[in-house]
Amino acid sequence: MKTSFEITRMNRRKLLDVLENNTLEQLNKVPEGFSNNLIWNIAHIVVVQQMLVYKLSGLPMQISDAMVDAYKRGTKPEADVTADEVETIKQLLTATIDQTEADYNAGIFRDYTDFTTMSGFVITNAQQAIEFNHYHEGIHVGIMMGIRKFI
């Protein structure tokens, strides 16, 4: 699993680059033809990782219910994100993965509610959730690459 966490960290560093190399206006812009923006995709990535790994394991998530409500599947940007919110998301990109790795190594992920993804993959434990999360994050990085062409 060490490699799995390193893959996630590599991706999260790329997402931090997006946050640090785009203006607040660029992060919040929803280009024509898209239903969301850069910052929504990044926050959504954090939320889904927490839901897949922690919530389905019956454990408390490291994010607020308000963040889940704003960025879970089926949501879209309702208002511009502030600079303070961007800073919080930056912190969560790293902190959530560090905590997940520590918790995984401590063996806290014992129970899991099976979950079938939109792609039809059935996740039956936290390790599979952590591994499937690479696929999910990759999809959203691809969407973000498209958005960046229009901002």
Side-chain angles (χ1 to χ4, degrees), residues 4-121:
S4 191
F5 287 110
E6 284 307 310
I7 291 168
T8 302
R9 281 190 182 91
M10 177 186 64
N11 189 58
R12 298 291 177 98
R13 283 190 293 272
K14 299 288 184 190
L15 297 174
L16 281 170
D17 286 345
V18 170
L19 292 174
E20 292 171 351
N21 293 309
N22 287 279
T23 66
L24 194 55
E25 181 181 352
Q26 289 170 317
L27 292 173
N28 280 299
K29 182 175 175 62
V30 178
E32 188 174 331
F34 290 85
S35 59
N36 51 49
N37 53 31
L38 293 174
I39 193 66
W40 183 92
N41 277 278
I42 295 171
H44 173 75
I45 283 170
V46 171
V47 166
V48 168
Q49 184 270 340
Q50 289 290 293
M51 292 178 74
L52 285 174
V53 179
Y54 285 87
K55 184 173 184 174
L56 290 170
S57 293
L59 298 168
M61 294 184 288
Q62 303 163 50
I63 57 175
S64 69
D65 290 341
M67 186 172 184
V68 172
D69 290 342
Y71 298 106
K72 66 186 176 186
R73 183 176 75 192
T75 63
K76 61 182 182 177
E78 297 296 334
D80 282 353
V81 172
T82 67
D84 287 342
E85 290 169 314
V86 171
E87 288 304 315
T88 298
I89 293 166
K90 281 183 188 180
Q91 184 271 331
L92 287 169
L93 277 172
T94 303
T96 53
I97 297 308
D98 291 345
Q99 188 62 53
T100 302
E101 183 175 31
D103 290 343
Y104 182 84
N105 290 335
I108 74 162
F109 299 109
R110 293 184 182 92
D111 298 322
Y112 199 84
T113 301
D114 293 359
F115 177 75
T116 303
T117 69
M118 288 180 66
S119 60
F121 185 77

